[in-house]
């Protein structure tokens, strides 16, 4: 009589290939596929017609989907009035109303050697923007924003890495500086909708930004209080530049065109807002960045570390 072990081996030899071939014919679907997106099946079981249908599901329509098994899908957001949110670069909860009542005439008087050096460093940095004709305010401000968005990113990056190395909190300053960088970038996104940059302006940005990033990075490593003072003075120049820009609009030298849609949603401006309205809130943002960076420098001048003093995250 054949033993039970021998019987099992014989059944496996006889039925094993059939079981394996039958299981390979079953389409494989990933259980974590996002709802509403087509699942990708095994290549050997998908006909050419089905492949075309799947590819068409990705490319057809205005809102393109992505076939993926990672379980990541784009969520649709709506405004308060029920219309679809059109921006992927920021969300409705990132929008805010700027405080335009801020004092625009504040100025930090340079008394120490470091402060004077920071002040004149900013004056030198104005040279590239002064290459533009005086009445091309939009292009001057657009060039300024390509530089103004760098310090917050550099400072946030350095503090982030320092926090990781030293196993310590940052006091909220990492987030504050990165939010500043993002806010400055939104200024640029607004201006470029109105004043389209030309090829030589883009080339100038590559040169100036490449030099400024590396110099500021080294400067922040050597002396953060000096670096923040430089940004404070840079923001003072930005407030002055936008004031001249607004004066030019009021004098009729620059046309007060409708505000870009991205500005209306980002600063929660009225639907009929104009370029002047957008510049007013941008100038207010610059004044807030001025105060925050001078404040950050003052903290370190008084012998404290930034992490020891909570960052003004809700200042603007």
């Amino acid at each position: 009589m054949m033993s039970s072990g021998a019987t099992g081996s014989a059944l496996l030899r006889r039925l094993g290939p059939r079981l394996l071939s039958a299981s390979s014919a079953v389409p494989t679907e990933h259980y974590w596929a996002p709802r509403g997106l087509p699942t990708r099946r095994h290549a050997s079981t998908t006909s050419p017609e089905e492949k075309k249908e799947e590819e068409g599901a990705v490319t057809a329509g205005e809102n393109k989907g992505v076939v993926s098994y990672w379980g990541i899908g784009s969520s649709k957001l709506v405004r308060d009035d029920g219309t679809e949110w059109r921006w992927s670069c920021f969300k409705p909860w990132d929008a805010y109303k700027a405080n335009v009542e801020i004092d625009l005439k504040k100025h930090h008087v340079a008394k120490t050697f470091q402060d004077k050096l920071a002040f004149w460093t900013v004056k030198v940095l104005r040279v590239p923007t002064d290459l533009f004709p005086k009445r091309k305010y939009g292009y001057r401000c657009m060039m300024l924003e390509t530089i103004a968005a760098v310090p917050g990113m550099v400072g946030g990056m350095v503090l982030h890495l320092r926090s990781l190395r030293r196993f310590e909190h940052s006091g909220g300053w990492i987030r504050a500086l990165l939010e500043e960088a993002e806010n400055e970038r939104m200024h640029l996104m607004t201006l470029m909708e109105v004043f389209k940059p030309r090829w030589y302006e883009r080339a100038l940005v590559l040169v100036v930004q490449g030099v400024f990033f590396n110099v500021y990075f080294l400067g922040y490593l050597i002396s953060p209080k000096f670096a923040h003072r430089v940004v404070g003075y840079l923001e003072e120049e930005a407030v002055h530049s936008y004031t001249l820009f607004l004066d030019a609009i009021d004098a009729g030298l620059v046309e007060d065109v409708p505000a870009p849609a991205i500005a209306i949603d980002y600063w929660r401006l009225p639907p009929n807002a104009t370029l002047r309205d957008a510049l007013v809130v941008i100038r207010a943002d610059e004044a807030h960045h001025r105060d925050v960076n001078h404040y950050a420098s003052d903290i370190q001048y008084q012998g404290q570390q930034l992490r020891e003093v909570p960052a003004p995250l809700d200042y603007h």
Side-chain angles (χ1 to χ4, degrees):
M1 181 180 292
M2 185 178 296
S3 65
S4 60
T7 303
S9 299
L11 287 173
L12 284 177
R13 284 195 298 270
R14 183 180 297 273
L15 300 177
R18 297 181 182 179
L19 292 174
L20 292 176
S21 61
S23 63
S24 63
V26 178
T28 58
E29 294 184 357
H30 302 284
Y31 70 91
W32 55 79
R35 186 180 302 175
L37 292 182
T39 55
R40 185 176 295 279
R41 294 182 288 182
H42 198 278
S44 62
T45 64
T46 306
S47 65
E49 292 77 12
E50 290 174 324
K51 284 184 179 180
K52 290 181 180 180
E53 184 178 349
E54 286 186 359
E55 293 173 356
V58 176
T59 58
E62 183 176 351
N63 297 321
K64 297 180 181 179
V66 177
V67 177
S68 171
Y69 58 80
W70 297 109
I72 300 174
S74 301
S75 58
K76 288 188 177 181
L77 301 174
V78 296
R79 298 184 179 88
D80 294 336
D81 59 3
T83 58
E84 185 175 351
W85 184 260
R86 59 179 294 188
W87 312 108
S88 59
C89 54
F90 70 99
K91 302 301 182 182
W93 49 83
D94 298 321
Y96 66 98
K97 285 185 175 292
N99 176 19
V100 297
E101 301 299 327
I102 188 171
D103 186 356
L104 301 173
K105 297 182 180 180
K106 280 186 177 180
H107 168 67
H108 178 82
V109 179
K111 296 180 179 179
T112 66
F113 172 76
Q114 272 197 341
D115 283 357
K116 292 179 180 178
L117 180 61
F119 178 79
W120 287 108
T121 297
V122 171
K123 292 298 182 183
V124 172
L125 290 175
R126 280 188 52 183
V127 174
T129 60
D130 288 340
L131 296 176
F132 292 93
K134 292 297 182 181
R135 291 193 175 185
K136 287 199 172 183
Y137 300 99
Y139 296 100
R140 288 164 59 87
C141 290
M142 188 168 55
M143 288 294 298
L144 180 65
E145 295 298 349
T146 64
I147 300 300
V150 172
M153 180 59 66
V154 172
M157 176 186 68
V158 172
L159 293 181
H160 173 74
L161 296 177
R162 182 179 300 168
S163 175
L164 298 178
R165 291 196 311 271
R166 299 182 179 180
F167 301 93
E168 62 186 20
H169 292 285
S170 69
W173 283 96
I174 296 174
R175 180 176 175 181
L177 294 177
L178 293 181
E179 285 182 350
E180 175 187 315
E182 175 66 8
N183 182 252
E184 295 284 5
R185 191 182 67 86
M186 291 301 295
H187 295 174
L188 177 62
M189 296 298 102
T190 297
L191 291 173
M192 66 180 290
E193 290 292 326
V194 182
F195 308 97
K196 306 297 183 182
R198 298 176 177 83
W199 69 268
Y200 56 86
E201 292 162 349
R202 294 175 181 271
L204 183 59
V205 169
L206 288 175
V207 176
V208 175
Q209 189 183 90
V211 174
F212 181 70
F213 176 90
N214 290 284
V215 172
Y216 188 81
F217 175 69
L218 293 176
Y220 202 95
L221 291 177
I222 297 171
S223 177
K225 63 182 178 183
F226 172 77
H228 281 291
R229 189 69 78 198
V230 167
V231 180
Y233 285 126
L234 187 65
E235 300 295 357
E236 289 186 19
E237 289 291 338
V239 171
H240 177 67
S241 296
Y242 280 110
T243 299
L244 294 178
F245 197 171
L246 289 166
D247 291 343
I249 291 178
D250 293 338
L253 301 177
V254 178
E255 183 182 0
D256 191 15
V257 298
I262 192 171
I264 292 175
D265 284 341
Y266 183 68
W267 284 286
R268 299 177 186 169
L269 299 174
N272 59 345
T274 63
L275 175 62
R276 190 185 192 286
D277 299 321
L279 294 178
V280 167
V281 293
I282 291 177
R283 182 177 61 175
D285 286 347
E286 304 291 7
H288 284 89
H289 299 328
R290 171 203 66 193
D291 294 353
V292 170
N293 280 277
H294 279 315
Y295 176 59
S297 185
D298 289 344
I299 290 172
Q300 295 169 93
Y301 265 107
Q302 296 173 21
Q304 300 186 68
Q305 299 295 323
L306 288 181
R307 61 184 176 84
E308 298 173 351
V309 181
L313 289 173
D314 57 347
Y315 181 59
H316 76 284

